[in-house]
Amino acid sequence: MNPEDSHLQCPLCGQSHRAPFLEPGQRALCVRCGATLAERGRLGPDAALVFALTGLVLALPSLLLPFVTLTKVGNERTVLLSGGVEGLWMSGFGLLASLVLFCGILAPLGLLTLLVAVLWAETRANPVEWHETLRHWAHGVERWAMPEVQILGVMVAFFKLGTVVNLSVGPGLWCYGAASLFTLLAWRRFSLQPRGQQARATPAPASA
Amino acid sequence: MKALRPPDRSSATHAAALAISAVIMLVPAYSLPVMHLGIAGQVASDTTILSGILQLWRDGLGGLAAIVFTASFLVPLLKLAGLGCLLVAARHRPGSHARLLTRIYGAVNFIGRWSMLDVFLVAFLSGAVRFGKLASVEPRPGILAFGAVVVLTMLATHRFDPRILWTEAPSAGSGPDDARAVQAAVPRPSAFLSPSS
Ligand SMILES: [Zn+2]
């Protein structure tokens, strides 16, 4: 076993700990700064993979189905999830369009793909050696994946346009919302899941 | 892995440079218009971040105005103020209030993404509201400056290594072999195992 698996280093303060055995529903906290280091959910170990897979399955319709339909005195417009990116791009804001494309679409999609790949690799008896690299990438991508912020932005827009334009939510937006929820659920379990010795089914023997 | 590297002292200098750039970009972000709204029968108007919030308030959408005010105004300012505290503390009084400051870092890290709200809002409106003379929304340069504030602040937070807030070395070495030396710390006392909410 990788010796790293049996201990936990706090990402915030650098304190290292021996990994405790966690019962379902328990968390391990850093003794020095109090940060949550690991958490064993009440659901089984495969829950994160199931959530990530569901999110990935929902991602495709969220890209392709109508996101929002707008009507203004008889004129109807249907926009896709990528509508905001196009709007900025056509107005000459290419840099900002790239940022919205990355934070709203590419990073969330990349995160789900990485989560599925890593979690699937870890269900195998001998995880392939690149799973640590993918895990590292997932942490890098997660900071920039903001689907829940995009949803709040769209909701604010709905209220703002309330009197100006008629809006209706399309199936694409529902799928995007659901995918975003499953991403959050998968990420929480993924980033705090007990690993290695901690993840074993039985408590570690009372130490010498 | 990041966690196994020694604390990065140079991180504070880089984070400070990024945070100062973000503070400078706050000026155009809040003073320039972020979008242009044209509706048939109404006077076309440019909106800034703050006038957009005020408009929501006037339209009787107080709750929504509070959300946007928090995400677009309070969060960027609190984030930069929090980062400023951390940078000053790391430089002048390392080791004092390390636990509190580490908590502040965690909070700054957590709230950061929500200030992208206005960028997503303007993007959505300018993509969706394209009815020519009837109704149209176009982005304006203020939103680019605001996007820069958000990105620079996030980069500053990521660059800052909170471990430099602690002066004394962790109570065990950073090598995996030392992990057993701190075994008493976690598993036994129930205080360190808490039911998750
Ligand atoms: Zn800690």
Side-chain angles (χ1 to χ4, degrees), chain A residues 82-100:
Chain A
S82 53
V85 177
E86 285 166 33
L88 289 176
W89 187 268
M90 287 189 293
S91 310
F93 286 71
L95 201 62
L96 206 60
S98 315
L99 180 68
V100 171

Side-chain angles (χ1 to χ4, degrees), chain A residues 9-17 29-37, chain B residues 99 102 163 166:
Chain A
Q9 192 167 34
C10 177
L12 286 184
C13 73
Q15 172 74 48
S16 48
H17 308 80
L29 305 184
C30 174
V31 291
R32 199 192 203 191
C33 74
T36 302
L37 301 175
Chain B
R99 196 181 159 95
T102 306
R163 289 174 297 163
W166 301 78

Side-chain angles (χ1 to χ4, degrees), chain B residues 97-120:
Chain B
H97 305 104
R99 196 181 159 95
L100 173 70
L101 292 169
T102 306
R103 291 257 154 149
I104 292 178
Y105 177 80
V108 163
N109 216 356
F110 178 76
I111 59 172
R113 57 175 53 211
W114 290 98
S115 37
M116 272 290 280
L117 175 70
D118 246 290
V119 175
F120 284 124

Side-chain angles (χ1 to χ4, degrees), chain A residues 97-181:
Chain A
S98 315
L99 180 68
V100 171
L101 176 66
F102 187 68
C103 296
I105 302 177
L106 295 183
L109 210 57
L111 177 62
L112 280 169
T113 313
L114 285 167
L115 286 180
V116 168
V118 177
L119 292 164
W120 175 78
E122 288 177 357
T123 56
R124 293 156 40 124
N126 296 306
V128 274
E129 68 272 15
W130 42 258
H131 86 114
E132 274 303 332
T133 312
L134 293 186
R135 188 170 259 280
H136 193 63
W137 287 357
H139 278 268
V141 167
E142 193 272 340
R143 295 167 186 158
W144 300 99
M146 314 173 181
E148 69 279 25
V149 183
Q150 168 139 279
I151 289 169
L152 186 62
V154 172
M155 280 166 56
V156 173
F158 266 63
F159 284 99
K160 246 182 141 61
L161 291 176
T163 53
V164 179
V165 178
N166 279 320
L167 293 110
S168 61
V169 177
L173 180 49
W174 289 116
C175 291
Y176 187 73
S180 146
L181 180 67

Side-chain angles (χ1 to χ4, degrees), chain A residues 180-192:
Chain A
S180 146
L181 180 67
F182 281 109
T183 309
L184 289 177
L185 290 171
W187 176 255
R188 178 162 178 93
R189 276 162 185 80
F190 168 81
S191 58
L192 293 174

